[in-house]
Amino acid sequence: MPLSEFEKRELERIGQGLEQDDPRLAVLLDHDAFAISRRTSFRRALILFAVGVCILLLGLVVHAPALGIAGFTVMNGAGYWALKDLHWTPRKPAPNATRVEGTTSE
């Protein structure tokens, strides 16, 4: 449902008042300052995963089980962070492919 002219004017007036009262908040609300792309988030998670592998290997070389456990924990956290925002879509079969159940080749 579209807004009426009166509602549009009122929203504009409220927005101007907000900009005058608190300009920093208005800038934050104007665009999403904290948003990062999925690609950037995925890259950061992969780097953190590599750091976790290095910590794990360092724990193995130095014979420090706590360091190895910490590296493993970092790896798991980074793996979760990397995969949590991915959206997996199932593959669609080719349009000319037919699927027959229970057939055997002779």
Side-chain angles (χ1 to χ4, degrees), residues 38 42 82-91:
R38 286 183 185 161
F42 187 74
L83 299 177
K84 72 177 179 153
D85 290 329
L86 291 181
H87 298 285
W88 302 97
T89 57
R91 287 189 176 188

Side-chain angles (χ1 to χ4, degrees), residues 14-88:
I14 291 170
Q16 289 173 354
L18 175 67
E19 288 177 5
Q20 292 172 355
D21 290 344
D22 194 354
R24 289 188 307 165
L25 179 62
V27 168
L28 275 177
L29 294 177
D30 189 29
H31 59 79
D32 197 359
F34 301 108
I36 58 174
S37 70
R38 286 183 185 161
R39 181 176 292 161
T40 303
S41 177
F42 187 74
R43 286 180 184 161
R44 288 180 184 174
L46 286 181
I47 291 170
L48 191 60
F49 187 85
V51 168
V53 169
C54 292
I55 293 172
L56 176 68
L57 292 176
L58 180 67
L60 288 173
V61 170
V62 181
H63 299 291
L67 199 55
I69 291 170
F72 186 73
T73 304
V74 170
M75 284 172 45
N76 281 327
Y80 171 75
W81 187 27
L83 299 177
K84 72 177 179 153
D85 290 329
L86 291 181
H87 298 285
W88 302 97

